[in-house]
Amino acid sequence: MAALGAGSAVAVGSAAGLTEWGTTSARAATDSKGLSKILTTGPNDPQYADITSGYNNRWTAQPEQVRFPTTTAQVVAAVQEAVDGGKKLTVRSGGHCYEDFVYNAEVEVIIDMTYMNEVTFDENRSAFMIEPGVKLREMYELLYRGWGVTLPSGYCPLVAAGGQVTGGGVGMYSRSLGLTVDNMYAVEVVVVDADGKVRSVVATREKDDPNHDLWWACAGGGGGNFGIITRYWMRAPGATGRDPQKLLPVPSEHVLTAHLVWPWDKVSRKDLGNLINAHGQWHLDNSDEGNEYRKLGSYLSFFPGRTKGRIELWAYFDGADARSEQLIKAYMEDMNKAVGGDTRTPVEVQRQTYLRTYQLNAGRGDVFMNPTLRGEHRSAYLRKPFTETQIDGLYRNMVEAGYENEFDLAWMVLTSLGGKVGDVAADATAFPQRDAIFQILWEIHWFDEADDDPHISWTRQIYSEMYKETGGVPVPDDVNDGCYINYPDSDVADPAWNKSDTPWHELYYKDNYPKLQQAKAKWDPKDFFNHRLSIRLPK
């Protein structure tokens, strides 16, 4: 595929690369009508089993076909065929959906975006064009090696841009650089009209764009709702000119990292409360514009069990300033002091280049590379530190409940927010949790189907106990702020687990949901694109 403009381009998944990997049929020659053929795989093909299950091996499907487009025109043709045939269609970009939205018993056609994976600079739009199939690691490396720029986004190397961006995009640089969608200038979406006609639409953040509402909906509204995204164009807000090195954030050449570990056998319930409160208050005190700590991000993780159980804190800080090392040490020491007792260990700070820092961080999560995992997940946002009841639930289930994950594949992690994320109004994009200080993920993995029950039950138990004050879910209030659609959890739509009066869509989208419904009615009036937590048509 060629770059959109005449400027410089770096691409992954070029024709040469596909030949090297033995998949030349995905880039089939042009037929007599000038349309590229699309690779289609069905149940009789040897690779079928490998391409009909997700990252979470609990979810599998038996579709009639899996289609691998390489152009937007091919996506349009494939969707039109499914619409005309009345086929249930789902879309895969990286395959990391935590629920069964792509792989399920009803799906008949899967559109797999694996080969739409280019990263180029489009001179015509003065923006970087990113296709949905590119994995985050490739995206970071291509942007930085080619132009010295980056995008704030997640750290899992195998997550693809397609799903990551449209949910908002949160990662270790969110405090300093904002969300991924804050840099989204335009998006191309394949949509289905009321009469069943399929077409592609480009929507931009320009307020006078007649398609602006589609851009807004895709900037945090989640995947599988309005159509199939085939291209993103990225340009930082306020950036002007045609120099690509000035159109996206430029990371510091070096990043400082620091790491602390506190084993549960040395952490009391009181210690945990002190740490939670100190960590939360620090984020409340250090998020305003001009604060020198806005360039620090952290992951505070909790691992269950008395044998392997522990608390870990990773911090990342811009290494350009002369005071950077002093500041990150002070932050880590403050957290060390909060825990107290005999848990304190010396704080060591490491300095690495920007790209190596990401590669090391992604490499530590080698669990993400394992293709045989089963999993269960939950999410939440915090606007203030946990309540005492929530800390009680956390401590009991991490330490006292007796749950052990023999593979050390269970954790709850608080990702730093605040900072630049809060500079954007809650209704400026579809992503509403702008004043949260943390995004929270509960992530539990195991290998055998026979072990599903104990792991799922423990996940439900800790989540229900931590939110028992609000009906078992993080109902938005002065402490909690709902859930993250990129970490979907169908339990929040089940009255057996959501005992509050707050429906699932308010947990994810808050006051932005009615506007998302309006976009749904306009751009997907037949509700062709749907799943268990998709935007519903207005009644």
Side-chain angles (χ1 to χ4, degrees), residues 159-191:
V159 167
Q164 170 76 4
V165 176
T166 192
V170 174
M172 66 182 181
Y173 295 110
S174 294
R175 281 175 53 84
S176 59
L177 302 178
L179 302 178
T180 314
V181 292
D182 297 339
N183 295 274
M184 189 176 84
Y185 173 72
V187 61
E188 181 179 63
V189 190
V190 172
V191 298

Side-chain angles (χ1 to χ4, degrees), residues 121-176:
F121 181 69
D122 178 359
E123 287 192 344
N124 294 329
R125 294 190 187 275
S126 294
F128 289 88
M129 190 281 291
I130 295 173
E131 289 185 321
V134 68
K135 304 299 188 291
L136 294 187
R137 177 166 182 163
E138 296 166 342
M139 181 186 78
Y140 291 134
E141 293 188 359
L142 291 168
L143 287 173
Y144 191 65
R145 293 184 190 279
W147 298 278
V149 299
T150 193
L151 277 169
S153 199
Y155 62 86
C156 179
L158 294 185
V159 167
Q164 170 76 4
V165 176
T166 192
V170 174
M172 66 182 181
Y173 295 110
S174 294
R175 281 175 53 84
S176 59

